[in-house]
Every structure is written in structure tokens, then in C-alpha cells.
Amino acid sequence: MFNIVLFGPPGAGKGTQAVKLAVAYNLEHLSTGDILRAEMSKNSPLGQKVKNLIEKGELVPDETVISIIGEKLRNAGNVVGFIFDGFPRTVEQAKALDKMLADEALEIAVMITLEVEENELIERIRLRGESSGRTDDSDTSIIKNRIRVYNEQTATVADYYKNQGKYVPVSNMGTIDETFSLLASEIDRRLQIAIKS
Ligand code: AMP
């Protein structure tokens, strides 16, 4: 299996690129944000539990997202690999992911961070909010809070993967297709290494 973490601040383009990569490499796309929003629209007990935090731009508790991902991994069946989008967002989540994968004799092959300048992030999120209707994408103070939460609680996850030699930064200041090509060449290079070893 070839498992990828696609990392970066809110608005960096993780969702867009993860969907394209999932199609190109036949990977199962796991986005905790998408899963949580689906629970909110169903108004399920889980959706009700996380609604308030998501609408404020705060993180939901580690154990909530870890158990969501755990269930997805257990029920995945025969897949080529996973692309994790928006998870892990804390070092606790990263450790739990490693442990859950190790239990199945699996691991993360690479963690790719999409890099976008901060003032550009706010613009991109606001634009996305106009079409998606996401409340956490529409209000500037909530957008800024999400970027603050990223800087304070999530950015350090990069060090966790740097220590494992799996961290790869990729600029997403270009077009969607340009960034996709950069991502694909990083992945292709690692796939070649994985095949040879
Ligand atoms: P996203 O679509 O990835 O930007 O996620 C939207 C919101 O869902 C975030 O602002 C958090 O409130 C929540 N969320 C998604 N993934 C996680 C995660 N891995 N850990 C904690 N909260 C998360």
C-alpha cells in the first residue's frame, strides 16, 4: 500500500489536490472535514457534537477524528492506499495514525505540505465560501481563527514527519494543474523507490 498525508493550512488546496490524486493513483481519499460535514448535514449525534466547534473554527477532539479514521481503515477492504486530507492535525493524531497503520503492517510513505502565502489563504477560503456555502469559510474572523489554530496546534505536525524523513514541501502558488504536476512527480519518484526496494 502507498499511503500519503496531504498537509497544509486551511485554504492551501488539500481537498482539490487530494481528489485529483485519488483518481490518478487509485487511492482512497479520507477527509475528516468532509466526513464531519456529512455528519452535520445528517444531523447525526456526531454531527451535533462537532457542529459548534467547526462553526467556530476550532479543532474537534482528537479521539473523535481518530476513531473516525480507525473505522475507515478497518472497513477499507482491498485498496491500493489512502490519501489523508485534513488529518492528522495534531501530533497526537499523527501518533495514533502511525499506530493504527502499524497494526496492519502499514505506514505513511510521504507527507506532502502544500505551501501558500498567508494573505492568499484568506482570499482563497473566502472565494470557496461563496460557492460552497460553508459558514466557516465565509466569516473573516472564523477564517483567521482557523489559520491561528493551524499555526498553534497543527503546524508542529510537520516536525513529526520531518523527524521520520517523510516531509516534502510543495508550493501551491501556481495553478491547480501546475501543483498537481509537482505532486505527481514527488509521488512517482517515491513509488519508483518503493517498487525497487
Ligand atoms: P477541513 O475541511 O479539513 O478544513 O475541516 C473543517 C473543520 O473540521 C476544521 O476546522 C475542524 O473544526 C474540523 N476538523 C477536520 N479535520 C479535523 C482533524 N483532523 N482534527 C480536528 N478537527 C478537524
Side-chain angles (χ1 to χ4, degrees), residues 10-11 14 31-34 36-37 50 53-62 65-66 69 85-90 93 128 134 136-137 146 149:
K14 299 185 295 292
S31 156
T32 39
D34 285 352
L36 292 169
R37 276 185 292 278
V50 298
L53 288 166
I54 291 183
E55 287 182 348
K56 284 195 297 202
E58 299 291 329
L59 295 185
V60 310
D62 284 339
V65 281
I66 290 167
I69 292 293
D85 156 14
F87 180 92
R89 260 177 158 97
T90 63
Q93 293 177 22
R128 183 172 69 188
R134 273 176 64 173
D136 62 341
D137 278 351
R146 289 166 64 205
V149 166

mmCIF file of all heavy atoms in Angstrom, residues 10-11 14 31-34 36-37 50 53-62 65-66 69 85-90 93 128 134 136-137 146 149, ligand 1:
data_model
loop_
_atom_site.group_PDB
_atom_site.id
_atom_site.type_symbol
_atom_site.label_atom_id
_atom_site.label_comp_id
_atom_site.label_asym_id
_atom_site.label_seq_id
_atom_site.Cartn_x
_atom_site.Cartn_y
_atom_site.Cartn_z
ATOM 1 N N PRO A 10 -5.509 25.674 6.269
ATOM 2 C CA PRO A 10 -6.820 25.765 5.604
ATOM 3 C C PRO A 10 -6.685 26.654 4.373
ATOM 4 O O PRO A 10 -6.025 27.694 4.427
ATOM 5 C CB PRO A 10 -7.722 26.449 6.649
ATOM 6 C CG PRO A 10 -6.944 26.574 7.898
ATOM 7 C CD PRO A 10 -5.526 26.180 7.652
ATOM 8 N N GLY A 11 -7.292 26.232 3.281
ATOM 9 C CA GLY A 11 -7.250 27.025 2.047
ATOM 10 C C GLY A 11 -6.025 26.754 1.193
ATOM 11 O O GLY A 11 -5.851 27.375 0.144
ATOM 12 N N LYS A 14 -5.717 21.441 -0.263
ATOM 13 C CA LYS A 14 -5.587 19.998 0.019
ATOM 14 C C LYS A 14 -6.729 19.206 -0.602
ATOM 15 O O LYS A 14 -6.507 18.183 -1.233
ATOM 16 C CB LYS A 14 -5.580 19.722 1.546
ATOM 17 C CG LYS A 14 -4.445 20.375 2.287
ATOM 18 C CD LYS A 14 -4.435 19.949 3.758
ATOM 19 C CE LYS A 14 -5.640 20.392 4.556
ATOM 20 N NZ LYS A 14 -5.737 21.842 4.772
ATOM 21 N N SER A 31 -11.036 12.430 4.017
ATOM 22 C CA SER A 31 -11.018 13.810 4.507
ATOM 23 C C SER A 31 -11.878 13.885 5.755
ATOM 24 O O SER A 31 -13.100 13.682 5.690
ATOM 25 C CB SER A 31 -11.586 14.747 3.428
ATOM 26 O OG SER A 31 -12.096 15.924 4.026
ATOM 27 N N THR A 32 -11.255 14.153 6.897
ATOM 28 C CA THR A 32 -12.048 14.234 8.135
ATOM 29 C C THR A 32 -13.027 15.409 8.063
ATOM 30 O O THR A 32 -14.144 15.310 8.564
ATOM 31 C CB THR A 32 -11.127 14.349 9.374
ATOM 32 O OG1 THR A 32 -10.017 15.193 9.059
ATOM 33 C CG2 THR A 32 -10.625 13.005 9.826
ATOM 34 N N GLY A 33 -12.623 16.509 7.404
ATOM 35 C CA GLY A 33 -13.535 17.649 7.264
ATOM 36 C C GLY A 33 -14.791 17.237 6.493
ATOM 37 O O GLY A 33 -15.918 17.537 6.917
ATOM 38 N N ASP A 34 -14.621 16.528 5.363
ATOM 39 C CA ASP A 34 -15.778 16.080 4.566
ATOM 40 C C ASP A 34 -16.664 15.139 5.388
ATOM 41 O O ASP A 34 -17.900 15.234 5.344
ATOM 42 C CB ASP A 34 -15.316 15.317 3.312
ATOM 43 C CG ASP A 34 -14.766 16.243 2.229
ATOM 44 O OD1 ASP A 34 -14.880 17.475 2.379
ATOM 45 O OD2 ASP A 34 -14.203 15.716 1.242
ATOM 46 N N LEU A 36 -16.959 14.922 8.655
ATOM 47 C CA LEU A 36 -17.648 15.649 9.730
ATOM 48 C C LEU A 36 -18.789 16.512 9.175
ATOM 49 O O LEU A 36 -19.870 16.575 9.765
ATOM 50 C CB LEU A 36 -16.649 16.522 10.504
ATOM 51 C CG LEU A 36 -15.605 15.743 11.324
ATOM 52 C CD1 LEU A 36 -14.504 16.681 11.833
ATOM 53 C CD2 LEU A 36 -16.251 15.013 12.503
ATOM 54 N N ARG A 37 -18.542 17.147 8.007
ATOM 55 C CA ARG A 37 -19.621 17.956 7.411
ATOM 56 C C ARG A 37 -20.800 17.079 6.990
ATOM 57 O O ARG A 37 -21.960 17.469 7.139
ATOM 58 C CB ARG A 37 -19.104 18.763 6.207
ATOM 59 C CG ARG A 37 -18.443 20.079 6.615
ATOM 60 C CD ARG A 37 -18.056 20.907 5.404
ATOM 61 N NE ARG A 37 -16.988 20.286 4.638
ATOM 62 C CZ ARG A 37 -15.688 20.375 4.940
ATOM 63 N NH1 ARG A 37 -15.310 21.073 5.979
ATOM 64 N NH2 ARG A 37 -14.789 19.776 4.199
ATOM 65 N N VAL A 50 -20.082 17.997 16.969
ATOM 66 C CA VAL A 50 -18.935 18.754 16.440
ATOM 67 C C VAL A 50 -19.330 20.104 15.822
ATOM 68 O O VAL A 50 -18.457 20.950 15.579
ATOM 69 C CB VAL A 50 -18.154 17.925 15.375
ATOM 70 C CG1 VAL A 50 -17.597 16.661 16.018
ATOM 71 C CG2 VAL A 50 -19.007 17.600 14.159
ATOM 72 N N LEU A 53 -17.997 23.460 17.360
ATOM 73 C CA LEU A 53 -16.542 23.625 17.237
ATOM 74 C C LEU A 53 -16.165 23.972 15.797
ATOM 75 O O LEU A 53 -15.370 24.878 15.552
ATOM 76 C CB LEU A 53 -15.822 22.334 17.662
ATOM 77 C CG LEU A 53 -15.835 22.054 19.168
ATOM 78 C CD1 LEU A 53 -15.424 20.614 19.459
ATOM 79 C CD2 LEU A 53 -14.925 23.035 19.900
ATOM 80 N N ILE A 54 -16.755 23.255 14.837
ATOM 81 C CA ILE A 54 -16.437 23.507 13.424
ATOM 82 C C ILE A 54 -16.853 24.918 13.036
ATOM 83 O O ILE A 54 -16.111 25.638 12.371
ATOM 84 C CB ILE A 54 -17.103 22.444 12.519
ATOM 85 C CG1 ILE A 54 -16.413 21.095 12.751
ATOM 86 C CG2 ILE A 54 -17.051 22.853 11.044
ATOM 87 C CD1 ILE A 54 -16.883 19.960 11.894
ATOM 88 N N GLU A 55 -18.031 25.334 13.507
ATOM 89 C CA GLU A 55 -18.506 26.671 13.132
ATOM 90 C C GLU A 55 -17.656 27.777 13.746
ATOM 91 O O GLU A 55 -17.621 28.892 13.233
ATOM 92 C CB GLU A 55 -19.992 26.816 13.472
ATOM 93 C CG GLU A 55 -20.814 26.002 12.475
ATOM 94 C CD GLU A 55 -22.303 26.078 12.659
ATOM 95 O OE1 GLU A 55 -22.741 26.594 13.719
ATOM 96 O OE2 GLU A 55 -23.031 25.599 11.763
ATOM 97 N N LYS A 56 -16.949 27.474 14.832
ATOM 98 C CA LYS A 56 -16.064 28.478 15.436
ATOM 99 C C LYS A 56 -14.648 28.408 14.847
ATOM 100 O O LYS A 56 -13.801 29.233 15.149
ATOM 101 C CB LYS A 56 -15.981 28.258 16.952
ATOM 102 C CG LYS A 56 -17.238 28.736 17.693
ATOM 103 C CD LYS A 56 -17.023 28.852 19.191
ATOM 104 C CE LYS A 56 -16.716 27.515 19.809
ATOM 105 N NZ LYS A 56 -16.969 27.410 21.234
ATOM 106 N N GLY A 57 -14.396 27.344 14.069
ATOM 107 C CA GLY A 57 -13.047 27.183 13.504
ATOM 108 C C GLY A 57 -12.081 26.536 14.464
ATOM 109 O O GLY A 57 -10.866 26.629 14.294
ATOM 110 N N GLU A 58 -12.621 25.855 15.499
ATOM 111 C CA GLU A 58 -11.764 25.130 16.458
ATOM 112 C C GLU A 58 -11.627 23.668 16.002
ATOM 113 O O GLU A 58 -12.466 23.165 15.251
ATOM 114 C CB GLU A 58 -12.396 25.152 17.855
ATOM 115 C CG GLU A 58 -12.574 26.546 18.447
ATOM 116 C CD GLU A 58 -11.251 27.214 18.813
ATOM 117 O OE1 GLU A 58 -10.299 26.496 19.164
ATOM 118 O OE2 GLU A 58 -11.187 28.447 18.728
ATOM 119 N N LEU A 59 -10.624 22.990 16.513
ATOM 120 C CA LEU A 59 -10.481 21.568 16.209
ATOM 121 C C LEU A 59 -11.483 20.758 17.017
ATOM 122 O O LEU A 59 -11.798 21.105 18.157
ATOM 123 C CB LEU A 59 -9.075 21.074 16.563
ATOM 124 C CG LEU A 59 -7.910 21.666 15.774
ATOM 125 C CD1 LEU A 59 -6.608 20.978 16.165
ATOM 126 C CD2 LEU A 59 -8.137 21.551 14.267
ATOM 127 N N VAL A 60 -11.968 19.661 16.456
ATOM 128 C CA VAL A 60 -12.781 18.722 17.226
ATOM 129 C C VAL A 60 -11.803 17.829 18.004
ATOM 130 O O VAL A 60 -10.618 17.769 17.673
ATOM 131 C CB VAL A 60 -13.749 17.910 16.331
ATOM 132 C CG1 VAL A 60 -14.546 18.818 15.405
ATOM 133 C CG2 VAL A 60 -13.031 16.866 15.517
ATOM 134 N N PRO A 61 -12.282 17.159 19.067
ATOM 135 C CA PRO A 61 -11.345 16.393 19.901
ATOM 136 C C PRO A 61 -10.604 15.295 19.113
ATOM 137 O O PRO A 61 -11.168 14.683 18.202
ATOM 138 C CB PRO A 61 -12.251 15.761 20.967
ATOM 139 C CG PRO A 61 -13.462 16.631 21.007
ATOM 140 C CD PRO A 61 -13.651 17.126 19.604
ATOM 141 N N ASP A 62 -9.348 15.078 19.517
ATOM 142 C CA ASP A 62 -8.527 14.054 18.862
ATOM 143 C C ASP A 62 -9.238 12.709 18.799
ATOM 144 O O ASP A 62 -9.260 12.054 17.753
ATOM 145 C CB ASP A 62 -7.202 13.862 19.636
ATOM 146 C CG ASP A 62 -6.218 14.990 19.386
ATOM 147 O OD1 ASP A 62 -6.351 15.694 18.368
ATOM 148 O OD2 ASP A 62 -5.300 15.152 20.211
ATOM 149 N N VAL A 65 -11.817 12.280 15.867
ATOM 150 C CA VAL A 65 -11.317 12.053 14.496
ATOM 151 C C VAL A 65 -10.502 10.765 14.407
ATOM 152 O O VAL A 65 -10.533 10.074 13.383
ATOM 153 C CB VAL A 65 -10.508 13.265 13.951
ATOM 154 C CG1 VAL A 65 -11.426 14.353 13.470
ATOM 155 C CG2 VAL A 65 -9.510 13.794 14.946
ATOM 156 N N ILE A 66 -9.790 10.423 15.494
ATOM 157 C CA ILE A 66 -9.007 9.174 15.471
ATOM 158 C C ILE A 66 -9.953 7.982 15.317
ATOM 159 O O ILE A 66 -9.689 7.059 14.545
ATOM 160 C CB ILE A 66 -8.133 9.060 16.748
ATOM 161 C CG1 ILE A 66 -7.007 10.109 16.703
ATOM 162 C CG2 ILE A 66 -7.555 7.646 16.895
ATOM 163 C CD1 ILE A 66 -6.268 10.307 18.017
ATOM 164 N N ILE A 69 -11.241 7.784 11.665
ATOM 165 C CA ILE A 69 -10.226 7.244 10.742
ATOM 166 C C ILE A 69 -10.006 5.753 11.013
ATOM 167 O O ILE A 69 -9.888 4.952 10.072
ATOM 168 C CB ILE A 69 -8.908 8.054 10.858
ATOM 169 C CG1 ILE A 69 -9.101 9.471 10.318
ATOM 170 C CG2 ILE A 69 -7.764 7.348 10.133
ATOM 171 C CD1 ILE A 69 -9.357 9.573 8.807
ATOM 172 N N ASP A 85 -6.424 13.676 4.120
ATOM 173 C CA ASP A 85 -6.583 15.110 3.821
ATOM 174 C C ASP A 85 -7.226 15.772 5.041
ATOM 175 O O ASP A 85 -8.345 15.440 5.411
ATOM 176 C CB ASP A 85 -7.453 15.190 2.541
ATOM 177 C CG ASP A 85 -8.202 16.492 2.355
ATOM 178 O OD1 ASP A 85 -7.903 17.484 3.038
ATOM 179 O OD2 ASP A 85 -9.115 16.500 1.499
ATOM 180 N N GLY A 86 -6.482 16.660 5.697
ATOM 181 C CA GLY A 86 -7.017 17.316 6.900
ATOM 182 C C GLY A 86 -6.844 16.476 8.148
ATOM 183 O O GLY A 86 -7.379 16.809 9.206
ATOM 184 N N PHE A 87 -6.133 15.412 8.058
ATOM 185 C CA PHE A 87 -5.816 14.515 9.169
ATOM 186 C C PHE A 87 -4.429 13.948 8.905
ATOM 187 O O PHE A 87 -4.175 13.517 7.774
ATOM 188 C CB PHE A 87 -6.848 13.374 9.256
ATOM 189 C CG PHE A 87 -6.590 12.406 10.382
ATOM 190 C CD1 PHE A 87 -7.176 12.602 11.621
ATOM 191 C CD2 PHE A 87 -5.750 11.307 10.204
ATOM 192 C CE1 PHE A 87 -6.927 11.721 12.671
ATOM 193 C CE2 PHE A 87 -5.507 10.433 11.254
ATOM 194 C CZ PHE A 87 -6.097 10.633 12.479
ATOM 195 N N PRO A 88 -3.509 13.902 9.838
ATOM 196 C CA PRO A 88 -3.615 14.362 11.222
ATOM 197 C C PRO A 88 -3.415 15.878 11.358
ATOM 198 O O PRO A 88 -2.693 16.479 10.582
ATOM 199 C CB PRO A 88 -2.466 13.615 11.905
ATOM 200 C CG PRO A 88 -1.451 13.385 10.837
ATOM 201 C CD PRO A 88 -2.213 13.242 9.555
ATOM 202 N N ARG A 89 -4.056 16.453 12.373
ATOM 203 C CA ARG A 89 -3.953 17.891 12.634
ATOM 204 C C ARG A 89 -3.290 18.176 13.975
ATOM 205 O O ARG A 89 -3.135 19.348 14.329
ATOM 206 C CB ARG A 89 -5.357 18.504 12.641
ATOM 207 C CG ARG A 89 -5.753 19.223 11.350
ATOM 208 C CD ARG A 89 -7.184 19.684 11.545
ATOM 209 N NE ARG A 89 -7.617 20.761 10.713
ATOM 210 C CZ ARG A 89 -8.298 20.613 9.576
ATOM 211 N NH1 ARG A 89 -8.518 19.420 9.088
ATOM 212 N NH2 ARG A 89 -8.725 21.680 8.929
ATOM 213 N N THR A 90 -2.956 17.146 14.732
ATOM 214 C CA THR A 90 -2.182 17.308 15.974
ATOM 215 C C THR A 90 -1.168 16.158 16.004
ATOM 216 O O THR A 90 -1.334 15.149 15.287
ATOM 217 C CB THR A 90 -3.065 17.186 17.241
ATOM 218 O OG1 THR A 90 -3.607 15.860 17.285
ATOM 219 C CG2 THR A 90 -4.196 18.200 17.275
ATOM 220 N N GLN A 93 -2.772 12.944 16.946
ATOM 221 C CA GLN A 93 -3.427 12.273 15.808
ATOM 222 C C GLN A 93 -2.394 11.572 14.923
ATOM 223 O O GLN A 93 -2.626 10.459 14.443
ATOM 224 C CB GLN A 93 -4.225 13.280 14.971
ATOM 225 C CG GLN A 93 -5.432 13.874 15.700
ATOM 226 C CD GLN A 93 -6.164 14.916 14.858
ATOM 227 O OE1 GLN A 93 -6.075 14.939 13.632
ATOM 228 N NE2 GLN A 93 -6.901 15.789 15.532
ATOM 229 N N ARG A 128 -13.918 30.309 -1.809
ATOM 230 C CA ARG A 128 -14.523 28.982 -1.702
ATOM 231 C C ARG A 128 -15.853 29.078 -0.966
ATOM 232 O O ARG A 128 -16.833 28.433 -1.341
ATOM 233 C CB ARG A 128 -13.561 28.051 -0.952
ATOM 234 C CG ARG A 128 -14.016 26.621 -0.834
ATOM 235 C CD ARG A 128 -12.944 25.741 -0.251
ATOM 236 N NE ARG A 128 -12.677 26.015 1.145
ATOM 237 C CZ ARG A 128 -11.666 25.475 1.840
ATOM 238 N NH1 ARG A 128 -10.842 24.641 1.259
ATOM 239 N NH2 ARG A 128 -11.497 25.760 3.108
ATOM 240 N N ARG A 134 -20.091 27.086 2.927
ATOM 241 C CA ARG A 134 -19.569 26.695 4.240
ATOM 242 C C ARG A 134 -19.489 27.911 5.146
ATOM 243 O O ARG A 134 -18.855 28.895 4.802
ATOM 244 C CB ARG A 134 -18.155 26.105 4.086
ATOM 245 C CG ARG A 134 -18.130 24.635 3.797
ATOM 246 C CD ARG A 134 -16.717 24.154 3.575
ATOM 247 N NE ARG A 134 -15.852 24.285 4.743
ATOM 248 C CZ ARG A 134 -14.608 23.794 4.796
ATOM 249 N NH1 ARG A 134 -14.114 23.154 3.761
ATOM 250 N NH2 ARG A 134 -13.889 23.946 5.883
ATOM 251 N N ASP A 136 -17.902 28.257 7.922
ATOM 252 C CA ASP A 136 -16.545 28.517 8.438
ATOM 253 C C ASP A 136 -15.631 29.089 7.356
ATOM 254 O O ASP A 136 -14.492 29.450 7.634
ATOM 255 C CB ASP A 136 -15.939 27.262 9.093
ATOM 256 C CG ASP A 136 -15.771 26.091 8.119
ATOM 257 O OD1 ASP A 136 -16.429 26.086 7.058
ATOM 258 O OD2 ASP A 136 -14.985 25.187 8.439
ATOM 259 N N ASP A 137 -16.124 29.179 6.107
ATOM 260 C CA ASP A 137 -15.345 29.769 5.017
ATOM 261 C C ASP A 137 -15.808 31.190 4.702
ATOM 262 O O ASP A 137 -15.240 31.840 3.830
ATOM 263 C CB ASP A 137 -15.513 28.946 3.726
ATOM 264 C CG ASP A 137 -14.603 27.728 3.687
ATOM 265 O OD1 ASP A 137 -13.732 27.614 4.557
ATOM 266 O OD2 ASP A 137 -14.771 26.916 2.767
ATOM 267 N N ARG A 146 -9.137 29.876 12.165
ATOM 268 C CA ARG A 146 -8.685 28.569 11.664
ATOM 269 C C ARG A 146 -7.197 28.607 11.325
ATOM 270 O O ARG A 146 -6.467 27.646 11.573
ATOM 271 C CB ARG A 146 -9.524 28.164 10.439
ATOM 272 C CG ARG A 146 -10.946 27.794 10.864
ATOM 273 C CD ARG A 146 -11.871 27.717 9.690
ATOM 274 N NE ARG A 146 -11.497 26.655 8.783
ATOM 275 C CZ ARG A 146 -11.799 26.636 7.486
ATOM 276 N NH1 ARG A 146 -12.473 27.638 6.960
ATOM 277 N NH2 ARG A 146 -11.444 25.631 6.747
ATOM 278 N N VAL A 149 -5.381 28.556 14.652
ATOM 279 C CA VAL A 149 -5.395 27.191 15.197
ATOM 280 C C VAL A 149 -4.371 26.330 14.452
ATOM 281 O O VAL A 149 -3.626 25.558 15.065
ATOM 282 C CB VAL A 149 -6.821 26.580 15.091
ATOM 283 C CG1 VAL A 149 -6.813 25.076 15.317
ATOM 284 C CG2 VAL A 149 -7.766 27.267 16.084
HETATM 285 P P1 AMP B 1 -11.377 20.966 6.778
HETATM 286 O O1 AMP B 1 -12.452 20.696 5.802
HETATM 287 O O2 AMP B 1 -10.267 19.945 6.750
HETATM 288 O O3 AMP B 1 -10.851 22.380 6.708
HETATM 289 O O4 AMP B 1 -12.027 20.806 8.232
HETATM 290 C C1 AMP B 1 -13.100 21.636 8.643
HETATM 291 C C2 AMP B 1 -13.195 21.629 10.162
HETATM 292 O O5 AMP B 1 -13.433 20.281 10.625
HETATM 293 C C3 AMP B 1 -11.936 22.075 10.897
HETATM 294 O O6 AMP B 1 -11.859 23.497 11.024
HETATM 295 C C4 AMP B 1 -12.122 21.384 12.240
HETATM 296 O O7 AMP B 1 -13.076 22.057 13.018
HETATM 297 C C5 AMP B 1 -12.722 20.046 11.838
HETATM 298 N N1 AMP B 1 -11.683 19.030 11.567
HETATM 299 C C6 AMP B 1 -11.437 18.413 10.377
HETATM 300 N N2 AMP B 1 -10.427 17.539 10.484
HETATM 301 C C7 AMP B 1 -10.019 17.598 11.782
HETATM 302 C C8 AMP B 1 -8.981 16.946 12.499
HETATM 303 N N3 AMP B 1 -8.164 16.059 11.909
HETATM 304 N N4 AMP B 1 -8.840 17.252 13.825
HETATM 305 C C9 AMP B 1 -9.654 18.125 14.422
HETATM 306 N N5 AMP B 1 -10.631 18.799 13.795
HETATM 307 C C10 AMP B 1 -10.821 18.545 12.469
#
